[in-house]
Amino acid sequence: MSESNINTVGIVGAGTMGSGIAELVASAGKSVVLLDIEESIAQDAVGKIEKNLGRLARRGKIEKEQVPLIASRIQATGDYGDFRGADIVIEAASEDMDLKKAVFAKIEENTEQSAIIATNTSTLSVTELAMSTSRPEKVVGIHFFNPAPIMKLVEVINTAKTSPETLEQTMEFAQSLDKYPIMAKDRAGFVVNRILLPMMNEAIFALDEGIATAAEIDNAMKLGANHPIGPLALADLVGLDVTLSVLNVLYTEYGDPKFRPAPLLKEMVRAGNLGRKTGKGFFEYGRK
């Protein structure tokens, strides 16, 4: 792992991504301040992280003694003032520009001028977020993939305003988490989603046109292209509502018809069949 001068990390949003990043960062020996709209939500997230670490210990992935130690590095809070000593604050709120700008304003107000303000957005403009602050040179995109503790890639997003020092520190920070960071320009979808979403969308078109069944389409990509999961099952995993939302952003940003969402995808979202989280998407899943 690389050395990094970032040792205290703030995270806004204790949902799936935020809590995954918190677990990852704490496991790397750094201090974490995990914030949500209410402190109790962040506390519940820390409890879930501790349970997840316990499962890793039972499987022999980490030492049993590490579980309480890692969890103790995470401070749950509902107060932005607790970010005062953070070297970087990562925003992992919902994919809504107005919400993210409001979060950025609170981060800027409660951090030192030297602190990096980062967003985990997968599709929205990092430049637009940066320009909503008075220190755009300290703003960067740092896009983790779900589940954050496991997925190796991190996209570091470089805007026209991001300083070379901020970029260097962010790359070193990602490496210190044992991740493989790539630097990408601030373009909608960055690298992975720009390539991945049209493939998933095309699979939905193929299904709608009756080219093959859902199972056959997914098996074709698994056995013919060596993909670990088929594009339709992946859309179910991501959430069909999220898939549609990302495609809409790509279509709006580029104006290119290759990003137009498939009518079947729109229909399924309108019907509330959103994939794994609702028990039914392109495939059916047992509800927990």
Side-chain angles (χ1 to χ4, degrees), residues 172-219:
E172 287 174 352
F173 169 61
Q175 289 166 345
S176 76
L177 303 176
D178 198 26
K179 296 300 181 186
Y180 179 81
I182 62 167
M183 198 181 297
K185 289 181 180 180
D186 185 23
R187 302 290 185 271
F190 313 133
V191 175
V192 173
N193 282 338
R194 180 171 177 173
I195 296 168
L196 184 63
L197 266 294
M199 183 196 74
M200 292 160 63
N201 195 42
E202 196 62 32
I204 300 168
F205 271 112
L207 177 65
D208 197 21
E209 292 166 16
I211 304 297
T213 67
E216 288 167 337
I217 289 168
D218 273 17
N219 284 333

Side-chain angles (χ1 to χ4, degrees), residues 20-183:
I21 297 166
E23 179 184 327
L24 167 69
V25 173
S27 296
K30 301 177 189 293
S31 299
V32 177
V33 180
L34 179 61
L35 179 145
D36 212 296
I37 194 164
E38 292 178 13
E39 186 175 327
S40 60
I41 297 173
Q43 287 172 339
D44 288 345
V46 176
K48 289 175 184 174
I49 290 169
E50 196 158 8
K51 285 182 182 176
N52 189 47
L53 292 167
R55 284 193 291 271
L56 292 175
R58 287 192 293 276
R59 287 160 47 196
K61 300 289 186 182
I62 60 173
E63 297 294 328
K64 187 179 177 182
E65 296 76 19
Q66 288 288 100
V67 175
L69 180 61
I70 294 170
S72 72
R73 296 188 186 120
I74 307 172
Q75 174 192 346
T77 187
D79 182 2
Y80 278 86
D82 289 334
F83 288 151
R84 187 58 63 189
D87 301 308
I88 186 172
V89 178
I90 302 168
E91 168 276 312
S94 301
E95 289 287 90
D96 178 279
M97 181 59 81
D98 290 338
L99 172 63
K100 288 183 184 292
K101 284 181 179 178
V103 168
F104 262 47
K106 290 178 181 176
I107 294 171
E108 183 178 16
E109 187 182 335
N110 289 279
T111 52
E112 302 295 337
Q113 284 289 323
S114 59
I116 295 171
I117 306 177
T119 175
N120 185 58
T121 184
S122 58
T123 48
L124 298 179
S125 169
V126 181
T127 303
E128 186 172 338
L129 281 169
M131 295 307 292
S132 73
T133 75
S134 64
R135 42 178 151 140
E137 73 283 353
K138 302 298 290 188
V139 174
V140 68
I142 181 164
H143 181 217
F144 293 87
F145 290 79
N146 188 31
I150 295 171
M151 299 297 279
K152 198 75 173 173
L153 182 70
V154 172
E155 291 177 322
V156 174
I157 313 308
N158 177 17
T159 80
K161 295 288 188 177
T162 309
S163 73
E165 181 188 28
T166 297
L167 278 174
E168 184 181 356
Q169 288 177 317
T170 306
M171 293 289 283
E172 287 174 352
F173 169 61
Q175 289 166 345
S176 76
L177 303 176
D178 198 26
K179 296 300 181 186
Y180 179 81
I182 62 167
M183 198 181 297

